[in-house]
Amino acid sequence: MNATKNTFSIKSIFNDFKEITKAGLAISVLFSSIAGYLLGVNDEHPFKWSVLLVLMIGGYCMVGASNAFNQVIEKDIDSLMDRTKNRPVPSGRMSPKMALFVASLLTIIGISLLYTINAKSAMFAAISIFLYTSVYTPLKTVTSLSVFVGAFPGAIPFMLGWVAATGEFGIEAGTLFLIQFFWQFPHFWAIGWFLYEDYEKAGIFMLPTGRKDRKTALQIILYTVWLIIASLLPSLGFTGQLFITPIAAILVFLLGLWMLFYAVRLYQLRTAKAARTLMLVSVSYISLLQIVFIVDKFLR
């Protein structure tokens, strides 16, 4: 009986840790950092499993810390929304003090590990945690510009991988940042659209016009176009060591048209189902784009 209780207790703690760090989201963000690292390695900066492992652990800690701090700050707001009310802190399974301790510990571990790779990686991780926790999170209940602010820490992981590989921030890392920066807008506005009523309960502002209307849908289309343009920059020959072949550029362009189709579809239908579909397509888009970039690099 005691063994069963202990197992249940350990399982519960593990599940709560996954929830407070948003493990699914953290792993998907981590994929961006791994992609950036693989794109950054070269003869001058060779691939090292030890660096990749540290990047993965440090990167997870970085994202997990941001999410944990977010859930401490938003514990009262989370209790108002159906999708968040069962999280560890608002449900009472974890005290705010314990959540704060976890967040602080992850911050220290994450930044320390990334510092062993190079100082720039640690610096960008610290900036990401600060912006997400201290600027983006408080702004969510004040203005829809929170999405713009949140796009900065959200765009760091792809770039972070390149910086971890090379120790440098230049046009290459900046381009990776730009791609994921523009990606944030259609992705999070789609989420804000199909979860509009839930966010409204907590007074959270996500959509640029504050409403599920044509103007919001039009902005989603426009930012998707900017995303496509940013994604094709490496094919034009002025992004340094980051470049893709014409074949890869065609694939990236087709991926962009695929996402643009669903952005236009949202404009036409303006339904929660269309917004959810766009969100799922956007997740596939960024992952497939990164895979195309990586495969293109190692096959050419």
Side-chain angles (χ1 to χ4, degrees):
M1 186 68 175
N2 288 336
T4 303
K5 284 184 177 180
N6 288 337
T7 302
F8 177 76
S9 177
I10 293 171
K11 183 179 179 181
S12 297
I13 292 171
F14 179 69
N15 287 336
D16 284 345
F17 178 79
K18 287 199 301 181
E19 278 198 60
I20 202 163
T21 58
K22 294 186 184 178
L25 172 63
I27 290 171
S28 67
V29 170
L30 202 57
F31 182 80
S32 292
S33 293
I34 295 171
Y37 179 77
L38 292 176
L39 291 172
V41 295
N42 52 34
D43 293 338
E44 186 181 352
H45 306 286
F47 175 88
K48 294 180 181 178
W49 280 108
S50 58
V51 173
L52 182 60
L53 181 61
V54 171
L55 174 65
M56 291 170 62
I57 298 173
Y60 186 96
C61 289
M62 175 189 78
V63 180
S66 298
N67 290 328
F69 279 126
N70 173 271
Q71 291 180 52
V72 172
I73 296 168
E74 294 190 338
K75 63 183 186 301
D76 295 329
I77 292 174
D78 283 348
S79 65
L80 300 174
M81 295 187 287
D82 293 334
R83 73 182 187 89
T84 56
K85 64 185 180 183
N86 290 319
R87 285 176 174 173
V89 178
S91 68
R93 296 195 309 274
M94 182 182 293
S95 70
K97 286 184 179 180
M98 177 55 70
L100 185 61
F101 172 76
V102 171
S104 301
L105 184 62
L106 288 173
T107 300
I108 294 169
I109 294 173
I111 292 176
S112 298
L113 284 174
L114 292 172
Y115 186 80
T116 66
I117 298 176
N118 56 59
K120 288 188 180 72
S121 295
M123 178 188 72
F124 283 121
I127 290 172
S128 177
I129 294 171
F130 172 78
L131 287 176
Y132 190 90
T133 303
S134 303
V135 187
Y136 165 69
T137 298
L139 282 178
K140 285 168 68 177
T141 56
V142 178
T143 173
S144 60
L145 286 174
S146 61
V147 175
F148 173 77
V149 175
F152 284 89
I156 285 177
F158 200 12
M159 172 197 77
L160 183 67
W162 184 283
V163 174
T166 65
E168 300 170 1
F169 177 83
I171 187 65
E172 301 90 351
T175 302
L176 297 180
F177 176 89
L178 194 67
I179 292 170
Q180 203 155 26
F181 178 80
F182 282 120
W183 174 82
Q184 306 283 321
F185 295 92
H187 175 72
F188 282 104
W189 283 338
I191 293 174
W193 190 297
F194 72 78
L195 290 175
Y196 182 83
E197 287 74 18
D198 213 23
Y199 280 126
E200 194 175 34
K201 294 175 186 176
I204 291 179
F205 302 90
M206 289 284 285
L207 302 182
T209 67
R211 295 183 299 276
K212 299 185 290 182
D213 57 15
R214 284 185 181 273
K215 290 182 179 179
T216 286
L218 180 60
Q219 290 202 49
I220 289 174
I221 291 173
L222 292 174
Y223 274 87
T224 301
V225 171
W226 281 115
L227 168 63
I228 295 170
I229 293 171
S231 299
L232 290 172
L233 288 178
S235 68
L236 301 179
F238 57 80
T239 53
Q241 296 182 47
L242 175 69
F243 62 92
I244 56 175
T245 63
I247 294 175
I250 291 170
L251 291 175
V252 168
F253 182 63
L254 291 174
L255 284 173
L257 290 182
W258 177 49
M259 185 165 163
L260 183 60
F261 170 82
Y262 285 100
V264 172
R265 189 173 177 82
L266 175 60
Y267 179 83
Q268 294 170 332
L269 301 177
R270 299 192 302 282
T271 63
K273 183 179 179 181
R276 186 182 292 274
T277 302
L278 175 59
M279 183 274 291
L280 293 173
V281 169
S282 71
V283 172
S284 298
Y285 172 87
I286 195 67
S287 298
L288 290 172
L289 174 138
Q290 289 163 350
I291 290 171
V292 169
F293 273 39
I294 293 168
V295 172
D296 181 65
K297 172 182 177 174
F298 288 99
L299 285 185
R300 63 175 178 251

